[in-house]
Structure formats: C-alpha cells, structure tokens
Amino acid sequence: MTSPGFIDRFKTGLWHENPGLVQLLGLCPLLAVTSSFVNGLGLGIATLAVLIASNGLVSATRRWIQAEIRIPIYVLIIASLVTCIELIFKAWFPALDRSLGIFIPLIVTNCAIVARAEVFASRNPIGSSMADGFVMGSGFALLLMAIGAFRELLGQGSLFARMDMLLGGDPMRGLVITDGGWLLAILPPGAFFSLALAIAIKNSIDRRQREKRQQAMPGRGRHASQ
Amino acid sequence: MDFARRPSPYWSARVAVPSLMLQVLAALIPAAIAHVWFFGPGFIFNLLVASIFAVGGEWLMMVLRKRPPEVALTDYTALVTAALLAFAVPSLTPWWVTATGALFAIVVAKHLYGGLGFNIFNPAMAGYVVILIAFPMHLNLWIAPRMGDIDYQYLTVLQTLKYTLTGSLPDVLGFDAVSRATPLDVMKSGLNGMRTVSEIRANPIMGDFGGRGWEWIGNFLAIGGFWLLIKKIIRWHIPVGVGVGLMLPATIMYLVDPGSHPSPGFHLFSGATILCAFFIATDPVSAATSPKGRLVFGFGIGILIFCIRTWGSYADGVAFAVLIMNMAVPAIDLVTRPHIVGHDRKRTKPS
C-alpha cells in the first residue's frame, strides 16, 4: 500500500471517505445523540480518542493476532478502551456522561472503529495507523458537531448551549437566537432528515467539482477524477 | 368514458390528471361547506394558506428540478393535497403550522421522491404527521361545533383571521373558552379514567353515532365519496377494505365488551375514517395497484386505525395507518400480482 501524504489522507478522512457521510458507519450514535452541539462534540471526542488508541493497539499487536479470531480480539481491545473512556467521562464530565447516557458504552459497537481496525490498522505500522484513527475520528466528530449544531439551531433556537458540561463552570445558555424552535428537529426524525440533507449537500458539491474538472480536461472521464 | 378495468402497462384510461383532480376537489365541496358551518370560517383560511404554500412549493421544486413549472401548477394535485391537509388540521390553526405541513408534503414527501407518480408516501398525510409531531399543542385545539345545546363560543371572522395570522386569541377569550376535546379524545380519556362507554356518551359533544358536527361532515364526505365511485374516479376496493378492516375488530370487541369499547358506528363516524376511506387512502400513486392488493391495503389501514385508537397514545390514527400501509405497498403489490391469462397459476408467483 502506498503511503499518501498526511494532507491527502486528512482530506480522505474528512471528505472522500468520511465514516458518517460516505461509509454510513456508526449511524446509531450519530442519529441518537446529535440533538445538540455539545452532545455531538462530547461523543465525537470520545469516539476520536477510542479510535486513535484502538488503531494503535491493533496495529501494535497485529503480528500475534490469529486471523480466524481477529474480530473478537478487536472487540476486546475496543471494549477495554471504551471502558477507560467511560470512566474518564464519569469522573470529569458527569453532566455530559448523564446526557450521553448509554451511547458512551455503545461506542464498542460503533462499526466505524471495527472497520478501521480491520481495513487499516491490521495491516499498517503503528504511526500511520494512529494517524488514520485521527483523521477518520475527526471526520466522524466534525460530522457529529455539524449535525448537532444544525439540529440545535432548528430545534431550540440556540447554539453551543450547555457547553459547561464540557468546560465546567456555571450553566451556559450559549448563543440564544430565539426561544423555542421546531420540535421535530430534535426528535428522531430530525436526525434522519439532517443526515440525509448533509449527504445530499456533499454529493452535490462532489458532482459540481467533477463536472468542473471534466470541463477543464474533457479527455478524462469520471474514473480519472476519483 | 372508457376505463381500463385492470391497470396494465399497455392499457391506459383516457382521463387526464387535471380533470380527475378537479372532480376530487368538487366532491369535497359539500363537506367543506359543512365544515365551515360547524367549525367556523377557519377552514377557509387554512385552505388558502395550504393552497398557497403547496402550489408555491410545487412551483419552486419544478424550477429547481429544471422542469416546466406550468405543468405542475395546472394539474391541481397540489390543490388536492392542500385540501386534504385543510380537512386534517383544526379550524383554528396558525398559518405557520399549516404552511409547514403543506411545504413538507410537497417538497419532501412528493418532489424529493421524484414528483407526481413516484412518491411512496401520501403527501398530505406525511405533511400532517410532521406538524402533528412538531406542533402538538396547536393541533389539539378544536373549537366546539355549532350545535344546539353545546355552549358554543362564537368567534367572528376577524377573530379567526387574527388567530390564523398571529396565533393569539382576543384577550377576553382564553383557549379554554373556545376549545373542546374532540369526541375521540373524550372517549379515550374517559376510557382511561375507567368510565363506561354509556357514561362517556352522555357528554353533550356526542351525537347519534360519533360526535355532533363531526358525523355530519362525515355524511357529506360520504356523499362526495359515493359520487366519485359512481363517476368511477375511485374504485370500491379501498373504501370497502378500510370499512371492513375497521368495523370487523370494532364489532367483535363491542359485542364482547360493550362497556369499554365504543360501538362500530362511533368508529365509523369519528375522526377521519370516512375522509380516509374515500379521499386519503385512495390516492392512486401511493396505494397498491391491483384490485386484490387494494383490498388488502385498505383492510390493513382499517385494522391499524382500530389498533391505534384503542391501544395507541393518539386519539386518532388515520395518518399513521396510511403511512405505515404505504410502506407495505411494494410487498402487497408483489404478492397480489394479477394472474396472467394463459399462464399456469403457480408460474405467475414471483420467482
């Protein structure tokens, strides 16, 4: 496998192979917790930390893992890391832990993490595996934050409310634009609509770029522009 | 007029969409007049708001999709969606609630799925469910019907218009003074409060079968529906399916335990049953295709309405029932494919 530059790989993780937008992995936490920006940020950070550490550990132990039982071993590694993260959240961010609830332990079942262990970390050195965990985790976290901000804005009429759950201090109201909002955006259907909207926007940007490139270089088809 | 008895790919009816939709709208007129008589002029404002936003949304989407917008505006499908939505919402509804429903119905439920002919879900019901979930307070505010001995608090045309535009009543009137629980709400909360059906039916809002006013609107809807049947614009399968699907469990439960289950007549004349049977479930795009499939489709809607009314948390379940059965339509179409003439019956099953 060739090793592309870090910038290229970052673009891949954030955009071309974004775990949430393109691979549609980890939808359960993505849809369930993004009712506000701070929830999205909290779960994004937790997932990012688990992904970096699990990619590193899987990569470090890849020579001793038997191929036949690799998935249970990945799950074991990821589960122990998630337990650490859960205890850290409980110790330092109790309010955020209560707000995210079951979805922090459920990071174990986030297929984005198992997928990166299987696809990347099990066949690459530690350094680039952890870098891969970082870019993929950031892609997922940014999507969580974007959808969280969008739904919070529509559903509550505010942005960055309750950031104190992460930063400490007095309860913060964030940027309040209006009181109350469109209830549907916070309810589960709002999550599906927001994600669909985000995917549609990404696809339309991609298509526009592809058309522009084809106009610039008429000889090269769409396969060359991947 | 020459109609295809069974829709086949090579055989089409010589009827254009606009004239069909105009006749559906005409069939709704008697019920609309009854609605205005019983529940005041709010219906007209709701219809206006829904029509403006439905047609506007249709035009916007046609322009965005680079299609000729005149076509969408002159086939009246958006107006039928708007009319159904106006029947679904209470006569006192602020304009932004109705507008949200109309825009969602047209933009998301219809055009994002590919426009007329491709929408999986009934647009009017999708729009209604969205506003029912998003604005639950506004959609529970039914005013009392204008009928004899009910203490009817009269709202003038201007007061109704002001409420539609601003969402607030005149200072002297509270919401409690003008709004009443609907018959289905009264029945549901009464049954939850361990009272018997005959006690609940002593409430002055109850009429001969359903609620006062509501059952008369139902009668006029049925007249319009039968006219559509006679003109062969809709076929009998779906209305009969809905009726049987609702009445069968309702009759059984009523016979077993008349104290805690309202009569089948109450189910038939309450809420949106008749509107659903003749006008909502018969949407040709989102319903099943073959006659047998339509019977199954209607029957499923009827059963679901009964289940939601009896055991669900909502008082009426027409919109949810229709949307759930819309999801089942591909499966229904697959298993009820008509027998092909000349082929072995077993061979026509999906392979």
Side-chain angles (χ1 to χ4, degrees), chain A residues 181-184 187 189 193, chain B residues 100 104 108 130 133-135:
Chain A
W182 201 39
L183 188 60
L184 190 78
L187 293 173
F193 286 125
Chain B
T100 308
F104 188 90
V108 179
V130 163
I133 293 172
F135 306 100

Side-chain angles (χ1 to χ4, degrees), chain B residues 157-168:
Chain B
V157 177
L158 273 179
Q159 284 171 336
T160 312
L161 182 64
K162 179 165 173 268
Y163 185 82
T164 309
L165 292 178
T166 63
S168 61

Side-chain angles (χ1 to χ4, degrees), chain A residues 37-38 152-153 156-164 170-179:
Chain A
F37 178 81
V38 67
E152 187 182 339
L153 197 61
Q156 295 179 353
S158 66
L159 255 185
F160 314 127
R162 298 288 294 151
M163 281 297 278
D164 57 284
D170 297 326
M172 298 181 200
R173 296 190 64 207
L175 296 171
V176 179
I177 294 152
T178 58
D179 283 327

